[in-house]
Amino acid sequence: MAKYECDDKFKSFLQELPKCEHHVHLEGTLEPSLLFQLAKRNGITLPESFPPSPEACIERYNNFADLQDFLDHYYIGMGVLIKEDDFYDLAMEYFTKAHNDGCHHSEVFFDPQGHVERGISIDVVVKGFDRACKDATAKFGNTNKLIMCLLRHLPSAAGLETIKSAAPYYENGTIHGLGLDSAEKPFPPELFTECYKYISDNFSNVGLTAHAGEEGDSTYVTRAIDQLKVTRIDHGVNSQHDQELMKQLADNKTMLSMCPLSNVKLQVVKDVSELPIDVFFNANVPFSINSDDPAYFGGYILDNYVAVHTRFGFTHEQWAIIAKNGINGSWCDEERKIELRNKVDEVVAKHT
Ligand code: HPA
Ligand code: ZN
């Protein structure tokens, strides 16, 4: 439970600290209010099993049994996204909230297979999201990158088809990364080796990541690194149980994109204080702090920072290290990293 205070002054520090987000699913930023608005706009009737109002959603979202229980809602929820403008509006809402939270760089996931299987063209999805990315940069001065995720409950062959259909966007840099999400445990990383290899063989400068070690054990992390050649890991909580892996993560600066409030809502831990955040920090395992599916898990990036602060009570200097590890683990260019690291120093100097 909360052991440390995060008073208004410290909260302002955390808000101003230049943050990078590496683990947020754009479809997971679909707030109940926008969800019902889009359902109406697109004439979509939600299934009987879905909560009937935004208020009922909020209530339901407090009671996810596990990852699969959440995913069942998440896939239904994204069914209201039909037109390019829907995808644009969704992403723009996220970028606005992230900007207000002091997030300067976002690398955002999206799940094209969840849309294509409903008859929505990947072009509609990517164009809407890409337009929002560009407008957000123009409006807020942030930087951002799109990461396409493959759904691991679908066959690898379907993933490969999806990659091929997205090839023009990888070629022209509209999509910058490949990720792997959805139900983890029965679908280990190595099932998707050919998909990751196809990306490395055919496109240059594409970032590789995968969800691993959220519900899966530490070998999921090892297997994602060894077989998929990922350079970072999404979640990675269970890495804590393998000391050799911890050393490898620290030595190779393989960043874990952690999602504290998500881990509580999906019953990975009972409270943020049970997460090995201090263990990772003390072992020099780099991590960033992220919101995952903020519309479902009750908090955006700043809420996650505050939740961590109230459990671990990091000093300004320790927060600067965490923020800089997030910058270093980002896929933006070196010039942008220098700019962001300098901003961290400025904010720390102002607040200490
Ligand atoms: N884990 C796995 N897949 C996901 C998640 C998550 O937290 N959110 C959206 N897809
Ligand atoms: Zn996730």
Side-chain angles (χ1 to χ4, degrees):
M1 297 298 140
K3 272 207 312 214
Y4 301 89
E5 203 193 344
C6 186
D7 60 17
D8 289 349
K9 205 159 158 270
F10 210 91
K11 192 169 176 192
S12 310
F13 163 67
L14 291 178
Q15 192 279 337
E16 286 175 45
L17 192 66
K19 293 172 286 302
C20 299
E21 182 148 60
H22 312 101
H23 189 156
V24 56
H25 304 259
L26 285 175
E27 294 88 346
T29 69
L30 181 54
E31 289 288 342
S33 51
L34 183 62
L35 192 156
F36 281 89
Q37 199 185 314
L38 291 179
K40 195 165 171 212
R41 189 158 105 186
N42 291 323
I44 296 207
T45 311
L46 291 159
E48 292 264 309
S49 60
F50 202 81
S53 66
E55 297 71 32
C57 280
I58 292 160
E59 179 69 29
R60 177 66 185 89
Y61 297 173
N62 275 324
N63 294 292
F64 291 125
D66 54 19
L67 173 59
Q68 189 58 56
D69 188 26
F70 153 69
L71 289 170
D72 293 342
H73 276 260
Y74 171 79
Y75 295 122
I76 295 171
M78 69 170 76
V80 303
L81 298 161
I82 308 287
K83 304 199 181 79
E84 188 184 312
D85 275 350
D86 303 340
F87 292 94
Y88 174 87
D89 291 348
L90 174 66
M92 220 41 207
E93 255 197 23
Y94 161 71
F95 284 124
T96 305
K97 291 201 171 82
H99 170 70
N100 291 338
D101 272 1
C103 182
H104 290 235
H105 177 75
S106 297
E107 298 181 2
V108 296
F109 294 135
F110 69 107
D111 283 322
Q113 289 165 302
H115 309 299
V116 172
E117 70 184 5
R118 302 182 289 110
I120 313 294
S121 140
I122 190 166
D123 302 318
V124 166
V125 181
V126 175
K127 284 184 181 152
F129 285 155
D130 181 48
R131 187 153 53 87
C133 285
K134 294 198 165 94
D135 281 2
T137 299
K139 193 167 174 190
F140 303 126
N142 67 14
T143 41
N144 43 58
K145 302 220 174 266
L146 283 174
I147 304 173
M148 183 178 92
C149 282
L150 301 179
L151 299 179
R152 62 207 302 164
H153 65 268
L154 298 179
S156 166
L160 201 53
E161 280 308 302
T162 303
I163 290 172
K164 287 181 183 168
S165 71
Y169 299 113
Y170 277 109
E171 261 150 28
N172 69 16
T174 304
I175 305 179
H176 186 82
L178 180 71
L180 187 62
D181 63 2
S182 176
E184 184 181 358
K185 245 190 176 155
F187 306 106
E190 63 272 17
L191 292 175
F192 293 87
T193 304
E194 64 170 341
C195 296
Y196 279 74
K197 185 168 183 316
Y198 187 90
I199 289 273
S200 331
D201 287 349
N202 288 281
F203 311 108
S204 52
N205 197 28
V206 172
L208 302 180
T209 188
H211 283 54
E214 178 187 19
E215 289 191 339
D217 63 29
S218 63
T219 70
Y220 279 62
V221 176
T222 314
R223 289 186 267 172
I225 293 169
D226 293 347
Q227 318 260 346
L228 306 184
K229 316 285 180 209
V230 298
T231 57
R232 73 183 185 221
I233 291 287
D234 302 312
H235 290 299
V237 177
N238 286 330
S239 308
Q240 63 176 313
H241 302 299
D242 179 342
Q243 293 318 305
E244 205 171 307
L245 171 62
M246 292 270 288
K247 186 170 177 328
Q248 192 189 335
L249 295 171
D251 289 350
N252 298 338
K253 298 192 169 41
T254 305
M255 186 176 72
L256 307 178
S257 67
M258 301 190 72
C259 306
L261 294 178
S262 160
N263 293 153
V264 174
K265 284 288 160 91
L266 298 188
Q267 318 278 352
V268 173
V269 288
K270 283 206 176 61
D271 188 80
V272 171
S273 57
E274 291 170 27
L275 287 168
I277 291 182
D278 50 348
V279 175
F280 289 156
F281 186 87
N282 292 328
N284 293 320
V285 172
F287 59 84
S288 61
I289 295 169
N290 307 271
S291 65
D292 206 1
D293 300 281
Y296 292 86
F297 301 150
Y300 285 77
I301 187 168
L302 182 56
D303 301 309
N304 277 275
Y305 270 65
V306 169
V308 169
H309 187 72
T310 56
R311 272 50 171 208
F312 296 96
F314 289 124
T315 62
H316 292 87
E317 289 71 23
Q318 288 172 323
W319 274 114
I321 292 171
I322 294 170
K324 286 184 183 175
N325 282 342
I327 294 165
N328 297 339
S330 295
W331 290 332
C332 51
D333 59 34
E334 197 50 37
E335 199 183 328
R336 177 70 170 149
K337 289 185 185 180
I338 292 169
E339 187 176 274
L340 290 174
R341 284 194 296 260
N342 288 341
K343 275 193 183 135
V344 170
D345 291 337
E346 277 167 33
V347 171
V348 173
K350 177 182 159 192
H351 283 266
T352 49

